[in-house]
Amino acid sequence: LANTYHLTLRPGAELVAKAGGLHKFMNYAGPILTDSGGFQVFSLAKNRKINEDGVIFRSHLSGEKLFFTPEKVIEIQEQLGADIIMSFDECIDYPVSHTYAKESTERTIRWAKRGLNAHKRQDQALFGIVQGGEFADLRKYSALETVKLNFDGYSIGGTSIGEPKDVFLKMVDYSVPYLPEDKPRYLMGIGSIDYILEGIARGVDMFDSVLPTRIARHGAVMTRTGRLNIRKEIFKDDFRPLEAACDCYTCQNYTRAYIRHLYVSKEQLAQRLLSIHNLRFLIKLIEEAREAIKADRFLDFKNEVLIKFGDERGF
RNA sequence: GGGGGAGUAGCGAAGUGGUCAAACGCGGCUGACUGUAAAUCAGUUCCUUAGGGUUCGGUGGUUCAAAUCCGCCCUCCCCCA
């Protein structure tokens, strides 16, 4: 996953285009998705102003003004060249009034139309984003109106921004039933084990999140029996891999004791090794979920996984 | 043998009569992080039945009051011989 706002600031979409697009620039042959900057409307709320036409950002790096319209955001993403691109939206804060959520959600739908009209590169899939806050009527309205526009896939946005888990589940429950089964459903920004499994149980196909890499950088390791922090002294002479059953590069080659030593010594390699593990951990989880679905035993699989974590939250 | 300096919580280190259970850092322990302004942030770290109790190398004093002042002792470091 790459980001329109951040890549615009540095190194710039023109440069990425000149390099031949993100795949060539990064030398990455796998699927790439770019987010539209809609999340930065929420996360960088202090530095922006919203109007009907779009969002004016103040660059958090230089202070420079950047005007993002739905059309501009599509144009930038076409230059970046990801496989899947996102419609411009506003990720609504939580908690929020019904009045504001309605106003914002309606605007996001207008922006979705504009973005769709501006979209030229048909080799890229364009997804529309469902908003609506925590409100059932707005989620339904947002989903139905967005689906009417006929996007290549549908994203559920505005979740995991500080709301309690029951509210998160509500948001998903209020959105998914109105999204077609024959197009991808993407739950944006979800990365914890339990949230992913709850999403899959509700019919979601895709996820993305910084969680596995961010917590890895902070020393946290995802394992099937719960979360573990590599900083801890108990791992000082623990010469086992992070997780015995794991087939990742890190677990195949390094011990907890060594990774802890790297971490404590502030060696960046520790962060990379932990990130590799957490990413592989989640991908493996999804692979197994897929197998469980094929075998028509997904709910059992989900329960088995969550029970092993030792608590309801996952970790 | 002569001269000088130092001993404070797990470690380092402030504090030099009351506002000191004692700053700060490290280490330890908890916890957070979810469409990336995050190699970050928060809490905790003498004991406690939570009322309080016992601390600043040891010991004996001075004082209403001592980590802080005085005597003696112990240990360590540096310089000269």
Side-chain angles (χ1 to χ4, degrees):
Chain A
L1 184 108
N3 181 275
T4 301
Y5 170 85
H6 291 293
L7 290 177
T8 297
L9 296 190
R10 185 167 64 187
E14 288 79 10
L15 187 122
V16 175
K18 193 175 170 188
L22 282 173
H23 292 88
K24 279 195 179 159
F25 190 42
M26 296 194 288
N27 187 32
Y28 180 67
I32 300 176
L33 181 156
T34 43
D35 183 35
S36 61
F39 184 71
Q40 281 62 45
V41 178
F42 156 79
S43 65
L44 298 175
K46 289 160 226 74
N47 300 320
R48 55 75 172 157
K49 275 184 186 155
I50 305 174
N51 60 42
E52 178 58 30
D53 202 27
V55 177
I56 301 158
F57 284 102
R58 274 280 174 204
S59 159
H60 69 278
L61 297 176
S62 66
E64 166 196 17
K65 247 187 212 176
L66 298 160
F67 190 41
F68 277 29
T69 63
E71 294 84 3
K72 178 75 182 164
V73 159
I74 296 297
E75 186 192 323
I76 294 168
Q77 293 184 92
E78 292 186 338
Q79 286 181 292
L80 295 174
D83 303 283
I84 302 174
I85 67 177
M86 291 296 127
S87 183
F88 196 39
D89 70 327
E90 177 191 357
C91 176
I92 305 172
D93 202 358
Y94 175 89
V96 75
S97 68
H98 186 280
T99 307
Y100 184 80
K102 183 165 188 283
E103 180 189 315
S104 169
T105 299
E106 288 173 345
R107 184 172 49 227
T108 288
I109 291 164
R110 290 191 292 275
W111 287 359
K113 280 180 202 164
R114 288 168 54 188
L116 203 55
N117 289 334
H119 184 40
K120 297 190 194 80
R121 273 187 66 170
Q122 294 307 311
D123 59 327
Q124 292 179 297
L126 173 60
F127 283 26
I129 303 177
V130 177
Q131 289 292 338
E134 62 173 312
F135 307 104
D137 61 325
L138 297 180
R139 283 276 165 190
K140 179 180 177 183
Y141 172 77
S142 178
L144 290 176
E145 291 301 311
T146 306
V147 169
K148 269 187 205 169
L149 300 175
N150 194 28
F151 282 95
D152 298 310
Y154 299 95
S155 310
I156 299 165
T159 74
S160 200
I161 45 169
E163 80 283 6
K165 187 173 180 179
D166 60 311
V167 175
F168 161 74
L169 293 175
K170 264 184 6 185
M171 289 170 162
V172 179
D173 285 333
Y174 294 158
S175 308
V176 174
Y178 310 106
L179 302 177
E181 286 189 1
D182 60 347
K183 287 188 176 175
R185 294 159 169 169
Y186 162 34
L187 184 50
M188 306 181 86
I190 294 306
S192 65
I193 291 93
D194 58 336
Y195 277 40
I196 288 174
L197 293 177
E198 296 297 353
I200 294 172
R202 285 163 174 76
V204 171
D205 304 299
M206 296 168 52
F207 305 86
D208 82 282
S209 180
V210 306
L211 190 71
T213 51
R214 181 175 293 166
I215 68 175
R217 272 178 264 126
H218 299 163
V221 184
M222 290 170 156
T223 81
R224 284 298 178 91
T225 50
R227 191 159 152 170
L228 160 168
N229 197 317
I230 204 65
R231 286 173 303 179
K232 288 175 182 280
E233 197 176 34
I234 45 167
F235 299 125
K236 191 162 102 185
D237 57 357
D238 187 337
F239 302 111
R240 296 174 297 171
L242 294 175
E243 194 170 21
C246 183
D247 61 359
C248 83
Y249 171 77
T250 303
C251 289
Q252 293 304 305
N253 292 285
Y254 300 98
T255 64
R256 293 173 174 185
Y258 181 61
I259 298 166
R260 174 180 188 273
H261 167 252
L262 292 174
Y263 193 89
V264 167
S265 307
K266 302 194 192 317
E267 280 290 341
Q268 222 171 17
L269 178 58
Q271 303 183 328
R272 298 190 68 184
L273 292 175
L274 294 174
S275 292
I276 287 168
H277 170 79
N278 283 350
L279 289 171
R280 175 59 191 148
F281 175 91
L282 286 182
I283 289 168
K284 186 108 179 291
L285 182 78
I286 298 294
E287 285 172 358
E288 288 181 23
R290 219 175 264 142
E291 291 307 313
I293 290 167
K294 282 182 192 161
D296 197 23
R297 56 175 300 275
F298 175 74
L299 290 179
D300 287 341
F301 167 76
K302 177 188 151 203
N303 290 334
E304 285 161 19
V305 170
L306 292 182
I307 285 165
K308 277 190 204 156
F309 276 103
D311 75 43
E312 191 271 336
R313 244 213 90 197
F315 58 79

